[in-house]
Amino acid sequence: MSEILIRNATIVAMDNSHGAAPFVGDVLIEGETIKAIGEALSAGPDAHIIEGRGKLVMPGLVNAHTHSSETFLRGRYERMPLEIWLLYAYPLLMNDPIGERLLYLRSLLLAMESLRNGVTTFCDDFFDPPRHDLDRLATVFRAYDDAGIRANVSSAVMNVHTLDALPFAREVMPAELQALLDFGPPLTASAYIDYCRSAFASLHGKSGRLNFMIAPSAPQRCSPDLMAACMDLAVEKHVPFHTHILETKTQAVTGHMLHGKSLIAYMHDLGLLKRNTTIAHSVWVSDEDMRLMGEAGVSVAHNAVSNLKLGAGIAPIRRLLDAGVTVGLGTDGVSSNDTSRIFDVMRVAGLVHSAAGPDHSAWVAADEILAMATIGGARTAMLEEATGSLEVGKVADLLILNLRSYPFMPLNDVAKHLVYSENGSSIETVMVAGRIVMENGRLTTVDEQAVFDEIAGLVPAYLAEHADLERRNSVFEPVMAEIHRRATRADIGLNRYQGDGADVHRQS
């Protein structure tokens, strides 16, 4: 079995013993796993030796929430709240599904960008209407297998009509527009679970790195029986029940209008807050919501950049942590972020929560952010026994960064440099399961230029089709804008906006 020995490196292990505190030592990797961490370690005569002096070794980053279906929509939208943005990134009126080659390429591109920027694990909740297709899911798995990344993958499911998942929608939308949205009979819980069981049988555990997870889109978009069936299967298979809850104020209003309670309380009453529950966003949660979440041991994927771009608000991260909620960091999809760099999310998350209030003792610290990006993210993915920290017996998912670089010059506090200074430019080597997937700044598993050339040749025609789709769906924008306006002016007893718009519900 092949060995790799990294000698005399500065190590940030993110384990229980060291946390983010750096120490100098060696890392011995045998096959896929970390065999030893210590000083003056020895290796076999055929071991690959990496000189670590002047280098930083740390766990690979975990992207706790993303959507590969947005990869080709980078740099396309701005100044759109979620309810309007969804019209264009996830249109109500759809074309045929993206072709299989483009499906592969958009997945591969996300994996490539992620690896190049230090993300060794991500959770991809991709959207692939109009139906769930095992062959297309296998195409996404194949792209991630080819790239060499670790991933939890699912295709998001929903079975509640869009207009019944939004407040004011039936009231605001003209009948002639509502008539355009005939989606046919809703997907049944049994049909989706059959699909999931087939995915577990054929794809789950592929190459020891790729898993299928369960991804009901949101409690307002899924029937109770579908969510219950999803949770039962998630618990059976020990995978995340990965969903979106309370991303926007509109969703906060939705819970009270549909159920007379918050969507978190609704989930609690249905028995759907568990260790398996991973919630993307969790911006508009109340103190009582957070108490329920902490008691249930749920996780949150905090998408600091996406939340800002879509104007969702600022999540109460300090109070979530204090309530006992596990927090990881997610980029969300490239269309609502424009990169898949967790280093960007780390910096924003390290800064934005200082605007939450004047009590500076409660501001989020760099070592906490670093934990969210590594072991916290692994816990949200239910992969903490395998990855997220450098420990003997765990898989060797790690990064080697050059400390003789601008972000670390001069070196003060490693955790603060990683959160506030680094952007991925110092990464020299990336390993996933002991395999070097990037070396000397170059991906080893993929011909990057060939992929770029193929995308440049094929994607313009796809984007032209998408532009036509945007024009067709723009007819719904005034309706979504009015829903957003009404919801944001409702007084629900809490506020997650900052700055000039913080008291918008009091404005005329």
Side-chain angles (χ1 to χ4, degrees), residues 12-16 19-20 58-64 275 299-300 326-329 367-391 394:
V12 173
M14 301 309 300
D15 60 352
N16 288 332
M58 64 175 289
L61 304 177
V62 179
N63 185 347
R275 165 65 183 96
S299 299
V300 163
T326 295
V327 178
L329 297 181
D367 58 347
E368 294 176 297
I369 297 292
L370 194 55
M372 294 176 201
T374 53
I375 189 62
R379 290 187 182 117
T380 72
M382 299 187 72
L383 294 173
E384 70 272 20
E385 297 300 319
T387 191
S389 60
L390 302 182
E391 300 181 60
K394 283 195 171 185

Side-chain angles (χ1 to χ4, degrees), residues 92-112:
L92 292 175
L93 305 177
M94 296 179 289
N95 288 335
D96 292 336
I98 192 170
E100 184 175 341
R101 184 58 184 170
L102 286 178
L103 175 65
Y104 174 85
L105 288 171
R106 78 178 186 189
S107 306
L108 184 63
L109 182 62
L110 178 66
M112 290 164 56

Side-chain angles (χ1 to χ4, degrees), residues 163-172 220 246 249-263 266 482-492:
L163 299 183
D164 296 321
L166 285 166
F168 318 113
R170 294 288 186 186
E171 174 186 349
V172 172
Q220 72 275 19
L246 293 174
K249 190 174 181 182
T250 300
Q251 294 173 10
V253 171
T254 299
H256 290 285
M257 289 188 67
L258 294 182
H259 309 294
K261 63 188 73 172
S262 80
L263 290 172
Y266 173 63
E482 177 62 14
I483 291 171
H484 173 73
R485 188 191 70 81
R486 292 190 183 194
T488 53
R489 279 155 177 76
D491 190 346
I492 60 172

Side-chain angles (χ1 to χ4, degrees), residues 66-74 89-90 96-114 122 124-129 136 139-140 143-144 154-155 334 340 451 454-455 458-459 462 466:
T66 188
H67 301 281
S68 62
S69 37
E70 298 176 26
T71 304
F72 292 155
L73 303 181
R74 182 196 313 268
Y90 297 88
D96 292 336
I98 192 170
E100 184 175 341
R101 184 58 184 170
L102 286 178
L103 175 65
Y104 174 85
L105 288 171
R106 78 178 186 189
S107 306
L108 184 63
L109 182 62
L110 178 66
M112 290 164 56
E113 183 184 7
S114 299
F122 60 47
D124 177 20
D125 179 20
F126 82 98
F127 189 65
D128 192 41
R136 290 174 64 81
T139 296
V140 176
Y144 297 154
S154 193
S155 52
V334 169
S340 59
V451 173
E454 187 173 5
I455 288 173
L458 295 178
V459 171
Y462 165 77
H466 189 78

Side-chain angles (χ1 to χ4, degrees), residues 319-400:
R319 277 185 283 166
L320 284 164
L321 291 171
D322 289 347
V325 175
T326 295
V327 178
L329 297 181
T331 58
D332 213 349
V334 169
S335 176
S336 65
N337 182 309
D338 301 292
T339 84
S340 59
R341 294 192 297 263
I342 284 292
F343 275 114
D344 292 356
V345 182
M346 289 164 64
R347 177 173 167 82
V348 170
L351 296 172
V352 72
H353 298 293
S354 303
D359 181 5
H360 52 86
S361 67
W363 294 353
V364 183
D367 58 347
E368 294 176 297
I369 297 292
L370 194 55
M372 294 176 201
T374 53
I375 189 62
R379 290 187 182 117
T380 72
M382 299 187 72
L383 294 173
E384 70 272 20
E385 297 300 319
T387 191
S389 60
L390 302 182
E391 300 181 60
V392 173
K394 283 195 171 185
V395 291
D397 293 355
L398 59 82
L399 315 179
I400 303 176

Side-chain angles (χ1 to χ4, degrees), residues 11 92 97 145 158 163 179 196 207 225 238 243 247 250 289 349 358 363 374 389 403 423 426 467 475:
I11 301 170
L92 292 175
D145 197 18
M158 59 190 77
L163 299 183
C196 291
S207 300
D225 67 319
H238 194 66
T243 190
E247 179 176 358
T250 300
D289 292 336
W363 294 353
T374 53
S389 60
L403 292 175
N423 61 3
S426 304
V475 67

